[in-house]
Amino acid sequence: MPELTHRRANPADCRLLGALNLQLIQDEGHRNPMNELQLGKRMRDWMRRGDYAGRIFEENGEVVAYALFREVPDEIYLRHLFVVRHRRRQGIGRRAMGLLLGEVWPRGKRLVVEALCANTPAIAFWRAMGYRDYSLCLEILPEPRGEPASGPGPA
Ligand SMILES: CC(C)(COP(=O)(O)OP(=O)(O)OC[C@H]1O[C@@H](n2cnc3c(N)ncnc32)[C@H](O)[C@@H]1OP(=O)(O)O)[C@@H](O)C(=O)NCCC(=O)NCCS
């Protein structure tokens, strides 16, 4: 099995990260409407401001995954983990998490991820990585204008 190497993402990677972020949004079924260019700019701004750090994972010089996370004194919030589509279910996500835990992140902090309820593959992945269910976000979307509000009641 080829070695999975990792390096810090820098502003020069942000065009690529914007493209991968768009695929991540599509794959997880997120509502974010931003396009590839906008996502690349957002990445660049996040990194320049130090809001998030990125990590790029490569096999034989080919980018196979990236992670984006925010570290604060007592917590590490993993906002993105993405494995390229044609390499999924081959253990790359698991190995990337092993590298983050063993070589990038300090020990002793609370580790947090969020997942959309419909993104069942990712939820299975996070649970397999040791994350445990903690909170649930519920919502009522606004009605389109002109339509009566629907509330609790018979279907
Ligand atoms: C979630 C994601 C990062 C997993 O990466 P991966 O490299 O495919 O995962 P691995 O092959 O390392 O899987 C490790 C374990 O996670 C679980 N798992 C991973 N994908 C799964 C799936 N589709 N269904 C069920 N369990 C899954 C399994 O327990 C798996 O172990 P196994 O293969 O021995 O059964 C990848 O599917 C992905 O990039 N998805 C799109 C982006 C996304 O939703 N990211 C998370 C939200 S930010």
Side-chain angles (χ1 to χ4, degrees):
M1 189 189 292
E3 188 190 1
L4 186 66
T5 59
H6 61 104
R7 62 178 175 82
R8 176 186 282 273
N10 60 59
D13 296 308
C14 286
R15 183 187 284 245
L16 167 69
L17 290 179
L20 298 181
N21 190 174
L22 182 61
Q23 292 180 31
L24 185 154
I25 287 168
Q26 292 163 350
D27 293 349
E28 68 179 356
H30 202 284
R31 295 185 197 128
N32 185 336
M34 294 167 82
N35 64 31
E36 198 174 307
L37 270 179
Q38 293 168 323
L39 292 166
K41 180 179 181 309
R42 183 177 72 160
M43 285 278 181
R44 200 168 295 113
D45 291 344
W46 276 341
M47 286 183 199
R48 286 211 171 114
R49 289 199 302 257
D51 292 346
Y52 287 93
R55 209 81 204 167
I56 291 184
F57 298 88
E58 295 170 321
E59 255 187 15
N60 295 325
E62 180 199 345
V63 174
V64 292
Y66 83 90
L68 188 83
F69 58 92
R70 180 203 294 273
E71 185 177 343
V72 294
D74 53 359
E75 188 173 287
I76 297 171
Y77 169 55
L78 180 53
R79 180 160 181 153
H80 296 167
L81 180 68
F82 177 84
V83 172
V84 293
R85 289 169 177 164
H86 63 288
R87 297 299 310 277
R88 290 189 189 151
R89 286 317 284 272
Q90 297 173 26
I92 289 176
R94 186 188 291 280
R95 286 159 70 204
M97 283 302 298
L99 292 168
L100 290 171
L101 290 163
E103 298 182 14
V104 180
W105 293 344
R107 288 176 192 276
K109 297 198 180 198
R110 175 176 184 251
L111 304 179
V112 185
V113 296
E114 290 174 342
L116 297 178
C117 294
N119 191 5
T120 51
I123 293 172
F125 173 78
W126 296 126
R127 289 180 179 147
M129 294 304 105
Y131 286 85
R132 294 291 166 252
D133 298 11
Y134 173 59
S135 66
L136 180 66
C137 171
L138 298 101
E139 68 176 0
I140 297 177
L141 290 173
E143 297 292 332
R145 281 188 189 282
E147 291 201 9
S150 67

